[in-house]
Amino acid sequence: MSNTDPSAAAEEFKSRRAEEGRLAWVQDPSLITLCLASVGIVVLAGLVQISFGSYTMPVSQAWQAVIDTDVLFDARWLLQFFLGEELMRTVTGFQGELPELATGTLIVWNIRLPRVVVAVFVGMNLAVSGAIFQAVTRNELASPFILGVSSGAGLMILLSLVVFSSLSTVLPLVAALGGMGAFLIVYLIAWKNGTSPVRLVLAGVIVSTVFQSLQTAMFFFADDLGVVQTAIQWTTGSLTGVGWAQVRMALPWTIISMFLAALSSRQMNVLLLGEQTAKSLGVSVERVRFALSSIAVLAAAASIAVAGIVSFVGLIVPHLVRNIVGTNYKKLVVGCLFAGPALMVGADVGARLGMMVVTGTNGGQLPVGIVTGLVGGPYFLYLMRKKQELGEI
């Protein structure tokens, strides 16, 4: 947006927001359609995902297992899944054995459903994180990956796996520290009497490149082949082997970051007006940028801690949602909350089905980050060919 007349832009912004009201996004048909379509994709793709495996079952049986009343109407099972057995027993005071579940229900709820739930959290976090970074930099090509956050968080996780194995129990915190550290370095490099969107992106590319090189170097310090394979999964992004432990790991950070992102939508809208206009509205631009970036780092770190570095989700989803609902972040954040999980769960199913087609077996597991990369690359090539100006929002 132009900065030629900050006062006029500020007045227009105030009047437009007053007319829209706080709940105007609820009345947007395009946003409602996007949310409903995304929920439908998550449900359908999730059912396909929980139907496949060494114990194959029809989709109808998988759905019956998901809505099994023995689980849904027994708070002890739900608390055990989402809080853990120890905390469940503390909360309920129950010390006996839980009732047995049907084989299909046990497989779906213990092994397959948490993978879908983790995919929902990862898609949600990455999409919202990318949207925030695009507001902070006023650049639709910004993402946690571009700004060095993903590589910083990934490097700290690799250090935890290869060198400091005792830290593996607090991976979200470790990832958050790594991502925040990387972004602080980016901020320092970009700082010159303040920051600018262009300098932030360029500094992010520099830091991301250096940290990715350090990640590669870490493989030479790992003596255990199992650790190397685990590290490769982290760097490519994978949902293989995730369970309720990963759900519990990501859940609190996801709730916090999504809540803060929703509350900060007005500040993101103000940043899109440009620095001069934002200042005329009484906004401390640097403080807002840093606060919003912290929220985005927390969201990205929660994702990286449970699924590794999944590329392009934080880049693709905000752009797709913006094309549907516009640039108003009150709508954009809500759209990303729904569209991110749809892309992530769909990509995970694509990874499973693609591996089945290639190998002809049911047991293959292709990292989901490979699928998102294969989808994201051609999509942005299409954008580059279609749009004459791609970059600044």
Side-chain angles (χ1 to χ4, degrees), residues 266-287:
R266 181 185 179 278
Q267 284 72 23
M268 289 183 257
N269 281 329
V270 172
L271 286 184
L272 293 184
L273 298 173
E275 289 192 24
Q276 296 302 319
T277 303
K279 289 177 181 177
S280 69
L281 289 168
V283 174
S284 176
V285 174
E286 291 303 331
R287 288 183 180 179

Side-chain angles (χ1 to χ4, degrees), residues 37 47 49 60 74 77 101 116 135 146 177 179 181 190 204 211 301 305 327 345 349 383:
L47 283 175
Q49 183 66 278
S60 58
D74 191 336
W77 276 116
L101 299 176
V116 177
I146 295 296
L177 291 174
F211 277 27
T327 59
V345 177
V349 172
L383 281 182

Side-chain angles (χ1 to χ4, degrees), residues 10-326:
E11 289 302 319
E12 181 185 353
F13 174 80
K14 290 178 180 178
S15 61
R16 181 155 50 94
R17 288 296 173 264
E19 290 176 2
E20 287 179 350
R22 293 182 178 180
L23 299 178
W25 60 269
V26 178
Q27 304 171 359
D28 188 335
S30 60
L31 178 60
I32 294 173
T33 302
L34 171 67
C35 294
L36 291 176
S38 298
V39 170
I41 292 172
V42 170
V43 171
L44 292 176
L47 283 175
V48 173
Q49 183 66 278
I50 64 178
S51 300
F52 287 96
S54 56
Y55 182 88
T56 304
M57 63 183 76
V59 173
S60 58
Q61 183 183 350
W63 175 247
Q64 289 174 358
V66 172
I67 62 173
D68 192 334
T69 55
D70 289 342
V71 176
L72 295 180
F73 292 165
D74 191 336
R76 296 170 299 179
W77 276 116
L78 295 176
L79 288 173
Q80 177 167 305
F81 289 139
F82 285 96
L83 300 181
E85 182 177 357
E86 184 177 345
L87 193 53
M88 179 275 289
R89 294 188 183 280
T90 302
V91 171
T92 63
F94 178 74
Q95 298 301 325
E97 293 293 329
L98 288 172
E100 292 186 4
L101 299 176
T103 302
T105 301
L106 199 60
I107 291 173
V108 166
W109 277 90
N110 264 334
I111 301 173
R112 297 180 183 175
L113 192 58
R115 177 169 179 157
V116 177
V117 177
V118 170
V120 168
F121 287 164
V122 170
M124 192 182 294
N125 283 317
L126 289 178
V128 172
S129 178
I132 293 174
F133 278 128
Q134 289 174 14
V136 168
T137 62
R138 295 180 62 218
N139 190 316
E140 61 187 350
L141 298 181
S143 72
F145 188 82
I146 295 296
L147 292 175
V149 174
S150 293
S151 55
L155 178 61
M156 286 301 294
I157 287 178
L158 285 180
L159 282 171
S160 300
L161 293 172
V162 177
V163 182
F164 307 108
S165 57
S166 60
L167 297 177
S168 59
T169 56
V170 288
L171 284 182
L173 181 58
V174 170
L177 291 174
M180 182 58 75
F183 192 74
L184 283 174
I185 295 173
V186 169
Y187 223 82
L188 289 173
I189 294 175
W191 184 271
K192 187 178 181 182
N193 297 323
T195 61
S196 71
V198 174
R199 288 204 298 271
L200 282 172
V201 172
L202 292 176
V205 171
I206 295 170
V207 172
S208 181
T209 302
V210 172
F211 277 27
Q212 286 178 47
S213 299
L214 292 175
Q215 287 181 30
T216 304
M218 289 300 302
F219 290 114
F220 293 96
F221 295 94
D223 298 326
D224 188 349
L225 182 60
V227 171
V228 173
Q229 291 176 336
T230 303
I232 291 174
Q233 286 186 349
W234 284 109
T235 56
T236 56
S238 176
L239 295 174
T240 302
V242 298
W244 288 109
Q246 284 71 35
V247 172
R248 293 190 288 269
M249 191 182 292
L251 179 60
W253 310 102
T254 300
I255 293 174
I256 293 170
S257 55
M258 296 304 101
F259 177 72
L260 292 175
L263 287 182
S264 304
S265 57
R266 181 185 179 278
Q267 284 72 23
M268 289 183 257
N269 281 329
V270 172
L271 286 184
L272 293 184
L273 298 173
E275 289 192 24
Q276 296 302 319
T277 303
K279 289 177 181 177
S280 69
L281 289 168
V283 174
S284 176
V285 174
E286 291 303 331
R287 288 183 180 179
V288 169
R289 272 185 185 155
F290 193 79
L292 290 173
S293 298
S294 299
I295 298 171
V297 168
L298 180 62
S303 165
I304 295 168
V306 295
I309 302 174
V310 182
S311 60
F312 279 109
V313 175
L315 202 59
I316 296 174
V317 176
H319 196 278
L320 287 173
V321 175
R322 190 178 290 110
N323 286 340
I324 296 172
V325 305

Side-chain angles (χ1 to χ4, degrees), residues 236-238 309-312 344 366-374:
T236 56
S238 176
I309 302 174
V310 182
S311 60
F312 279 109
M344 195 67 191
L366 187 69
V368 68
I370 294 177
V371 176
T372 58
L374 291 174

